[in-house]
Amino acid sequence: MVIKVFLATSSGSTAIKKKQQDVLGFLEALKIEYAQLDIASNEENRMWMRENVPGEKKPANGIPLPPQIFNEENYCGDYDTFFDAKEENSVYEFLGLTPPPGFKKMDQEEEDIQGEDNLVSEEEEELRQLEEEEAEED
């Protein structure tokens, strides 16, 4: 199975470029085989992507923006759903792939602990910023 990432190589949008790079970089880091399909220079790719993104997943204007991700012919999602899967440590499920041997998905307790660690980090960051602001005022 090959993951297909539909993207626009000549997009003028820095946000789209960043999202595309994020998806490709993450797939490369996990050593997941994928194919890049350009919708900017290939009309067939553009039409196939538009026709195969499910209706409920299309934006109000009906034209889905890249990156759009498929496992062969099966729609996986767009950048936002990919990002959510990445955050939930469920990218393999999102992509419809079997995780490699030794891959351990965090259980709920580990996720809760990690979430608490993130809260502590956020509180520490806020405290550091307040201390910096107070130092600047002096």
Side-chain angles (χ1 to χ4, degrees):
M1 288 191 251
V2 174
I3 300 303
K4 297 177 181 178
V5 181
F6 287 84
L7 44 81
T9 55
S10 62
S11 174
S13 166
T14 55
I16 288 176
K17 287 178 186 176
K18 184 176 181 300
K19 290 175 179 181
Q20 292 175 164
Q21 285 299 336
D22 188 27
V23 170
L24 298 179
F26 197 76
L27 293 175
E28 286 176 17
L30 292 179
K31 296 181 174 45
I32 294 173
E33 185 179 341
Y34 66 92
Q36 296 180 50
L37 299 162
D38 187 14
I39 65 167
S41 64
N42 186 313
E43 185 65 26
E44 286 180 24
N45 287 343
R46 179 178 21 250
M47 294 307 298
W48 192 94
M49 181 195 80
R50 288 183 179 177
E51 290 169 7
N52 288 281
V53 170
E56 68 275 5
K57 301 292 185 180
K58 291 182 182 177
N61 68 3
I63 301 172
L65 296 174
Q68 295 291 330
I69 306 161
F70 290 79
N71 181 334
E72 294 293 342
E73 314 302 311
N74 300 315
Y75 183 69
C76 299
D78 60 6
Y79 177 78
D80 292 333
T81 52
F82 171 81
F83 182 82
D84 291 344
K86 192 168 88 167
E87 290 293 304
E88 295 167 5
N89 198 25
S90 60
V91 172
Y92 289 102
E93 291 147 327
F94 166 79
L95 295 171
L97 299 174
T98 303
F103 176 79
K104 181 178 180 287
K105 185 176 183 331
M106 283 188 278
D107 62 24
Q108 190 61 47
E109 185 176 336
E110 288 174 313
E111 288 181 25
D112 291 343
I113 290 169
Q114 187 179 48
E116 289 170 10
D117 289 345
N118 288 341
L119 288 176
V120 170
S121 297
E122 289 173 15
E123 291 169 359
E124 289 172 349
E125 178 64 20
E126 289 176 17
L127 182 60
R128 186 189 61 74
Q129 287 177 348
L130 285 173
E131 288 172 350
E132 284 179 5
E133 290 171 7
E134 288 174 3
E136 289 175 3
E137 290 174 5
D138 291 343

